[in-house]
Amino acid sequence: MIEIPFHKYQGTGNDFVMVDNRSQLIDRNDKQYARKLCDRKFGIGSDGLILIENHKGYDFEMIFFNPDGSQSMCGNGSRCAVVFAQALGIIENHTTFLSTDGVHTATINNNIVSLSMKDVPPEKTQAFPEHFIIDTGSPHYVVFTSNLNQKAVKEEGAFIRYSEEHKEKGINVNFVEKLGKHQIAVRTYERGVEDETLSCGTGVTACAIAHVLHGGISPVQISTQGGDLTVKFDLENGTARNVFLEGPAKKVFSGQINL
């Protein structure tokens, strides 16, 4: 049994267990840690586990796990990792760090984090008559809808996520309601969590790109169940470039747990 100091952070309601793993307290290859720590009944409870480690050439490396132990890029988790790294004294107001999908940069000002996201070329965007599939570091199914507040997100999201086409690799499912040229509302079912989350960073990024492809204009203000985010980018020949995800990230509490 080991005693693990942890910190809980949230970005627009997307919550994460953060561990300073620069001393290799946790084996990053053991997915059981994520399953145990993220469990809302028998662990701390969160939408993911984030380890902060040293990496030569970068300020830090962020290792992200979904509650089921799978790994992917996490936009809101990355924003929380930046605030956590600042609290640890690793960075000041700017950082270059390594994440699951490669290198990212970020700036932080009064807990508002502006995070660079990967370019999204046409080959990572599929347009269908009723929906989009866009990979922003994680794969996202984006469908426009009305009466978003009445949407049965968990049920309808799970139906798509576990459909014959997507059940093997899994996909995140986003329901989007247009509120204006620069504004949308989003609710997301996340794979790995297998439930609706209050916010999803890679999800709102995919939704913002779909919105612009559907006639909207960047920057896009996104309203989620957990708060507001902004996504801005340049659309050049079908490629979303200079993509930035902006929003708040805050510490909730700290503690220790024995595993």
Side-chain angles (χ1 to χ4, degrees):
M1 182 174 289
I2 61 171
E3 188 176 77
I4 301 173
F6 70 88
H7 305 262
K8 185 78 172 288
Y9 277 72
Q10 62 87 12
T12 52
N14 219 182
D15 61 337
F16 307 95
V17 173
M18 321 286 289
V19 175
D20 178 0
N21 205 43
R22 289 176 292 173
S23 62
Q24 306 298 307
L25 179 64
I26 289 178
D27 180 359
R28 63 187 288 174
N29 296 311
D30 189 346
K31 298 179 179 181
Q32 287 298 323
Y33 284 106
R35 295 174 185 139
K36 291 177 179 178
L37 293 172
C38 296
D39 192 299
R40 295 192 184 275
K41 300 296 185 182
F42 298 101
I44 300 163
S46 70
D47 293 327
L49 168 66
I50 294 173
L51 308 180
I52 299 296
E53 296 188 0
N54 293 318
H55 196 289
K56 187 177 180 180
Y58 303 99
D59 293 324
F60 63 91
E61 181 179 6
M62 165 193 157
I63 300 97
F64 174 76
F65 297 91
N66 289 303
D68 65 356
S70 62
Q71 292 184 266
S72 64
M73 166 56 183
C74 181
N76 285 334
S78 295
R79 294 190 304 101
C80 287
V82 171
V83 178
F84 184 42
Q86 185 187 56
L88 292 174
I90 298 173
I91 65 169
E92 293 184 357
N93 297 318
H94 182 273
T95 182
T96 301
F97 68 98
L98 188 63
S99 187
T100 307
D101 65 340
V103 181
H104 292 264
T105 61
T107 55
I108 176 172
N109 184 17
N110 294 324
N111 286 339
I112 301 296
V113 179
S114 179
L115 172 73
S116 73
M117 303 289 282
K118 295 297 183 183
D119 288 353
V120 182
E123 57 266 26
K124 290 192 175 183
T125 301
Q126 301 177 65
F128 299 90
E130 301 295 331
H131 67 278
F132 288 86
I133 293 179
I134 302 177
D135 191 325
T136 52
S138 292
H140 285 273
Y141 186 108
V142 179
V143 59
F144 289 91
T145 187
S146 58
N147 300 316
L148 185 62
N149 288 335
Q150 282 73 53
K151 184 66 64 176
V153 171
K154 182 175 181 178
E155 291 75 13
E156 293 187 35
F159 181 80
I160 295 169
R161 183 259 188 269
Y162 287 103
S163 64
E164 196 65 34
E165 182 180 359
H166 300 296
K167 66 180 181 181
E168 183 177 351
K169 293 183 178 179
I171 197 165
N172 305 285
V173 184
N174 305 268
F175 300 93
V176 185
E177 184 169 2
K178 294 184 178 184
L179 303 177
K181 287 288 187 179
H182 288 280
Q183 190 175 10
I184 58 176
V186 176
R187 293 177 67 185
T188 302
Y189 175 97
E190 284 198 56
R191 67 171 186 178
V193 179
E194 307 309 335
D195 202 348
E196 179 178 8
T197 55
L198 295 181
S199 175
C200 174
T202 55
V204 299
T205 303
C207 293
I209 293 171
H211 178 58
V212 171
L213 291 172
H214 215 253
I217 301 172
S218 172
V220 182
Q221 307 293 328
I222 303 106
S223 173
T224 73
Q225 300 288 90
D228 297 329
L229 293 160
T230 301
V231 173
K232 56 185 180 182
F233 60 93
D234 301 316
L235 191 62
E236 301 174 359
N237 299 319
T239 296
R241 302 186 186 276
N242 305 314
V243 185
F244 284 88
L245 169 66
E246 298 180 353
K250 297 180 180 180
K251 181 177 179 178
V252 182
F253 63 88
S254 298
Q256 295 181 336
I257 187 170
N258 293 317
L259 286 182

